[in-house]
Amino acid sequence: MLKIRNMKLAVYGKGGIGKSTTSCNISIALAKRGKKVLQIGCDPKHDSTFTLTGFLIPTIIDTLQSKDYHYEDVWPEDVIYQGYGNVDCVEAGGPPAGAGCGGYVVGETVKLLKELNAFYEYDVILFDVLGDVVCGGFAAPLNYADYCIIVTDNGFDALFAANRIAASVREKARIHPLRLAGLIGNRTVKRDLIDKYVEACPMPVLEILPLIDDIRISRVKGQTLFSLSSSEHDSSLLYICDFYLNIADQLLTEPEGVVPRELSDKDLFTLLSDFYYTSGQTIGQNSDGFGKGNKNHETATSSEINFSVPDFFL
Ligand code: ADP
Ligand code: MG
């Protein structure tokens, strides 16, 4: 077995793109490969680990507040909950809405886990991070991470967010040995825009997962694909688990990854809008196979894609 110790992963991507779903299933996949795994939810929504534990666990910030920030009064069992497949779970929680900083919350979380002698106890720690537009605060997990992983679909908005995250990785990599392990395409069968993007901004594509109703259902049931397939003895779900096992296996080889060179906004707009104009295709839901109309393959023409305006930058 590969001797991974203390590997830190940070999963980023546009809101609602599937970061938590992907994180939970990767965490279990890593645990299935014999690794001791901790998943830290770093989204004020604090639902990162919901499918691992089946409930919304108390957050670190709420727990610290209830103890007047006396770290010595907090016990591991107050904040670390065991989830499916022996994956340990923590929710950092959020700063008060409209005030405070996500970076502070992440900093407090790491500080407390160190106080509890938990931070170095794991083979893999996975940070699941809110990452639409990465401000300094929400980029904080990148200060601890060995690898960043970006979840995207095949549409402009998620790739725009991916490009911002790539810029944050490049910035943090100047002061810390951080690499971008690659992109995970989620909820998409099509990958033409993803391919176009990685051609211009080279980075690995670790996996492409289609829109799968069983994944949505697993979330509603408060379960991961692994727990669902075993509790319901449903071997038809195993092919979905294989996507996550494949990602875990790639990570466990400690891949080289990249320090990305993000595109300028102008180049990104031009690249993707040129692509829409010249490919002569009609576009269904940002070409990602997800969203309204997915079932009946509704399409929109390029003239309806209102970001196709490189003239903005002249
Ligand atoms: P995020 O953490 O990025 O905000 P979530 O992981 O909570 O996003 O996912 C948002 C929704 O999308 C959830 O209802 C989840 O079940 C669903 N989802 C995620 N990935 C897929 C997929 N590949 N196929 C179908 N539904 C998915
Ligand atoms: Mg989430």
Side-chain angles (χ1 to χ4, degrees), residues 11 18-32 37 39-41 47-54 83-85 87-89 91 126-128 218-219 222-227 244:
V11 176
K19 296 178 294 294
S20 300
T21 307
T22 308
S23 295
C24 291
N25 285 291
I26 292 177
S27 289
I28 297 180
L30 289 164
K32 288 223 173 272
V37 183
Q39 180 167 321
I40 305 179
D47 65 344
S48 167
T49 56
F50 174 66
T51 56
L52 288 167
T53 60
Y84 182 82
V87 173
D88 279 351
C89 302
E91 290 287 347
L126 186 154
F127 294 89
D128 169 16
S218 73
R219 157 72 193 225
Q223 294 210 40
T224 60
L225 268 301
F226 288 91
S227 49
Y244 300 113

Side-chain angles (χ1 to χ4, degrees), residues 13-23 43 45 47-48 51 128-129 151 185-188 209-220 240 244 290:
K14 175 179 171 286
I17 199 70
K19 296 178 294 294
S20 300
T21 307
T22 308
S23 295
D43 186 327
K45 227 187 327 163
D47 65 344
S48 167
T51 56
D128 169 16
V129 196
V151 183
N186 192 40
R187 290 194 304 217
T188 180
L209 279 97
L211 178 76
I212 301 174
D213 216 34
D214 286 316
I215 297 184
R216 190 186 55 76
I217 291 167
S218 73
R219 157 72 193 225
V220 176
I240 311 173
Y244 300 113
F290 171 68

Side-chain angles (χ1 to χ4, degrees), residues 132-207:
D132 217 330
V133 175
V134 184
C135 71
F138 283 106
L142 294 176
N143 294 330
Y144 307 99
D146 303 298
Y147 292 108
C148 175
I149 299 164
I150 302 176
V151 183
T152 183
D153 61 21
N154 193 47
F156 179 81
D157 291 344
L159 285 169
F160 185 83
N163 193 55
R164 297 270 311 196
I165 297 158
S168 302
V169 172
R170 195 238 326 118
E171 185 59 30
K172 296 283 183 188
R174 295 192 306 135
I175 46 168
H176 161 74
L178 167 69
R179 314 286 293 182
L180 176 60
L183 293 181
I184 296 173
N186 192 40
R187 290 194 304 217
T188 180
V189 274
K190 296 179 78 175
R191 55 179 291 171
D192 44 8
L193 262 72
I194 293 175
D195 287 340
K196 197 79 191 159
Y197 177 67
V198 301
E199 204 180 290
C201 179
M203 61 182 69
V205 177
L206 300 174
E207 189 55 276

